Amino acid sequence: MKITDCHVHAYNPSDLLKIKSMVNTGYFENINMLSITAYSNEYLTNNILSLAMKLLCPSKVYSFGGLYYKDKGPGDSSYFLPHTKRLMSMGFDGMKMIESKPNVRKRLSIGLDDASYDDFYDYLSKNKIPLLMHVNDPEDFWHKDRAPSFAFQYGFFYGDGTFLSKEEMYDEIFHILNKFSINIIFAHFYFMSEDINRTLKILDTYKNVYFDITPGTEMYKDFSNNKDWKDFFIKYAHRILFGTDNFQDEWRIKPDTVKRFMETSDTFSGFDMNLRGLDLERECLNKIFNDNFKKLVGDAPKAVNIELFKEEFEIVRKLAESSSYRDLILNQLIEIKEIINNNTIYRV
């Protein structure tokens, strides 16, 4: 069965060869690299990393690009549209937004439905360019007595009164959905797994909306505990995409767990929880594992425009000059060039 992983990240140059090794095992038909340039300027090289994977694994890698921002807030919003057009010309297959993860949304200080994004959304909508969007986080992250310890450690606790509520975050996204017809994929099942009725209403109302099943492990507990989710997955198999968010040394654990959950009726331990599989038919699995992504994005990844790609190194270098992560970014650019020059037919 062919598998396309719609949700993979490279965070630094050392990740590139790890991901290449994963791809070369043949486990995945394709993978999709997602850029998180908006998370902070620590990740300014993420667009370059994502396209570098295309050069390392020709024909196997799709890439979704991200917007650039200043260290402490939005960049010039008039840059969003021309920059997006440039990314598409450079070889990206879609766009990624992590801007609506609560800690990032707080830092950027403008709503995702702000008018400064309108030209960007309109361009995606009119040109059928897919957008994969991380919106919100698990409900427990807003509750001090329920949030896991790592939420406090990494700044993912949102219950101190300085963050938008989960519903306020959703409201911004629904304003976008009501205004634009973007082919939009919500990461981690839109963090909606606790409410099957609301999830049904969203997919019935917005025909261009898709969910990926990238763990957020809490959603697999919810799927296991409510037998109605199986009927949901059967009905909406054409609107769900496979993803893992994973490439570590033990990278097989997460995709194997997701596959077992989808393919079997096993009761088993996965993601440190007791899970009960959905046992979906092969027709549904083919759609979720591969076909839905290809119908949205295309049967083959776009080729990289090498000249524009080379120019992007200089663009990022200039952006890094005013960033608090200047030295980190400049060193990463050097490392990426060395990896490409030593492991591909290309020279940058």
Side-chain angles (χ1 to χ4, degrees), residues 8-20 33-36 42-50 52-53 56 247 328-329 331-337 339:
V8 179
H9 295 287
Y11 297 105
N12 54 66
S14 65
D15 295 335
L16 292 175
L17 295 182
K18 294 179 184 178
I19 299 173
K20 180 182 178 181
M33 301 298 302
L34 301 177
S35 176
I36 56 167
E42 181 180 358
Y43 298 103
L44 267 175
T45 61
N46 237 229
N47 282 332
I48 291 176
L49 286 168
S50 294
M53 278 309 310
L56 288 166
F247 63 88
L328 171 69
I329 299 306
N331 287 333
Q332 286 190 351
L333 291 175
I334 293 171
E335 291 180 54
I336 296 168
K337 285 185 177 183
I339 290 171

Side-chain angles (χ1 to χ4, degrees), residues 100-102 133-137 169-170 173 186-187 190-191:
S100 45
K101 185 176 172 69
M133 202 173 201
H134 181 125
V135 179
N136 271 316
D137 264 342
M169 297 286 291
Y170 280 138
I173 305 307
F186 288 124
Y190 205 29
F191 297 101

Side-chain angles (χ1 to χ4, degrees), residues 35 37-38 47 63-69 75-89 92-100 108 110-135 172-173 176-177 179-186:
S35 176
T37 50
N47 282 332
S63 297
F64 282 18
L67 300 172
Y68 294 133
Y69 294 83
D76 180 359
S77 61
S78 65
Y79 186 63
F80 291 164
L81 179 58
H83 177 57
T84 302
K85 289 181 177 180
R86 177 183 169 80
L87 292 179
M88 293 302 109
S89 297
F92 281 96
D93 305 281
M95 292 296 293
K96 159 71 175 181
M97 295 186 83
I98 200 165
E99 284 87 329
S100 45
L108 295 179
I110 59 170
L112 274 294
D113 57 349
D114 188 85
S116 59
Y117 288 107
D118 279 2
D119 288 345
F120 166 71
Y121 293 137
D122 187 58
Y123 175 73
L124 299 185
S125 180
K126 288 180 178 177
N127 291 278
K128 303 300 181 185
I129 296 169
L131 170 64
L132 198 150
M133 202 173 201
H134 181 125
V135 179
E172 291 185 356
I173 305 307
I176 297 167
L177 296 177
K179 192 173 183 179
F180 302 97
S181 298
I182 307 169
N183 288 333
I184 188 164
I185 305 160
F186 288 124

